[in-house]
Amino acid sequence: EDQVTQSPEALRLQEGESSSLNCSYTVSGLRGLFWYRQDPGKGPEFLFTLYSAGEEKEKERLKATLTKKESFLHITAPKPEDSATYLCAVRIQGAQKLVFGQGTRLTINP
Amino acid sequence: DARVTQTPRHKVTEMGQEVTMRCQPILGHNTVFWYRQTMMQGLELLAYFRNRAPLDDSGMPKDRFSAEMPDATLATLKIQPSEPRDSAVYFCASGFRSRDSPLHFGNGTRLTVT
């Protein structure tokens, strides 16, 4: 069964304190791994897509990386506005749907 | 910025009542998805459509849920009769049929069944 597991469930950091979120996956054939950000009361907002091991994508203070078993979302010198739930999802071969992990709730204290 | 539009944003209803949620996908997108989000289960896929045809509705309780796309600009999700366990946030998302296409989500309908 295709499975996506995110850790930790929640993470609290001080402003400027860099860290990483983990997304491990077990799928029959990966067509893409997606990172989303979700703010309270809003729908998930697309951040990145990664397709193959070794690939990296960057956007402002965020960098996503991919291996054959997991993906990391690195947050460098975060600010309070980076506080959100970060969701990881996989698209498997032969399907268009995304299978989501449970998310990591990130809080950045000023 | 084009967005997926969902109505209503909030719905409170009594057990046994019919609930209809509506979604306007982004113009030109040919795949539409319905997801349900709860604290316990996270985001679960209920159903999805390509070019208005249902492709997979295995995530939906068939006896009470139904999803349709009457035209390319409207997708509906109905629950009849509603039950308290249906309380959740229901999201619609749309995209293109390609591996490069992410899904774009609306802001959801928060459903409370009492």
Side-chain angles (χ1 to χ4, degrees):
Chain A
E1 184 185 337
D2 302 309
Q3 204 161 8
V4 181
T5 304
Q6 292 188 246
S7 61
E9 286 186 20
L11 181 63
R12 191 177 291 269
L13 300 171
Q14 290 299 120
E15 184 172 2
E17 181 184 0
S18 302
S19 188
S20 297
L21 313 182
N22 178 263
C23 169
S24 62
Y25 60 91
T26 306
V27 298
S28 49
L30 183 71
R31 281 183 68 192
L33 186 140
F34 297 75
W35 281 97
Y36 283 81
R37 169 192 171 127
Q38 186 175 22
D39 292 297
K42 299 285 184 69
E45 179 184 346
F46 171 69
L47 292 173
F48 304 110
T49 312
L50 301 165
Y51 294 106
S52 54
E55 190 175 357
E56 298 183 353
K57 293 270 179 76
E58 280 189 72
K59 181 178 179 180
E60 295 181 359
R61 295 176 292 281
L62 299 176
K63 183 168 80 172
T65 62
L66 182 65
T67 72
K68 288 187 177 179
K69 293 278 173 67
E70 58 192 349
S71 176
F72 291 93
L73 185 65
H74 306 278
I75 302 176
T76 302
K79 299 181 178 182
E81 54 262 41
D82 295 321
S83 297
T85 295
Y86 290 85
L87 296 163
C88 165
V90 296
R91 177 174 284 156
I92 62 172
Q93 288 184 0
Q96 189 66 19
K97 66 183 180 183
L98 296 184
V99 177
F100 281 85
Q102 291 283 80
T104 293
R105 190 172 65 255
L106 177 66
T107 304
I108 308 298
N109 295 317
Chain B
D1 253 352
R3 289 204 65 93
V4 174
T5 303
Q6 290 187 246
T7 57
R9 288 297 315 277
H10 303 274
K11 177 73 176 178
V12 180
T13 191
E14 291 183 350
M15 183 173 64
Q17 297 297 306
E18 178 178 303
V19 175
T20 298
M21 290 169 269
R22 293 177 174 80
C23 167
Q24 181 176 0
I26 292 173
L27 190 65
H29 282 182
N30 60 355
T31 58
V32 175
F33 298 75
W34 284 104
Y35 281 86
R36 176 170 63 185
Q37 188 174 43
T38 61
M39 289 292 292
M40 291 299 295
Q41 301 294 330
L43 273 165
E44 303 173 280
L45 179 68
L46 296 175
Y48 75 100
F49 295 78
R50 184 193 305 157
N51 296 325
R52 296 175 54 202
L55 283 192
D56 183 352
D57 61 1
S58 58
M60 288 200 315
K62 300 289 192 306
D63 56 337
R64 299 185 300 107
F65 285 59
S66 62
E68 296 180 344
M69 277 201 76
D71 61 62
T73 64
L74 177 65
T76 62
L77 181 66
K78 290 186 181 181
I79 308 174
Q80 168 63 18
S82 58
E83 297 181 1
R85 59 180 167 151
D86 300 329
S87 297
V89 182
Y90 291 81
F91 287 103
C92 176
S94 69
F96 293 110
R97 182 182 175 264
S98 82
R99 81 158 192 168
D100 296 328
S101 174
L103 299 188
H104 297 271
F105 284 77
N107 283 327
T109 294
R110 179 175 294 277
L111 174 65
T112 303
V113 183
T114 61

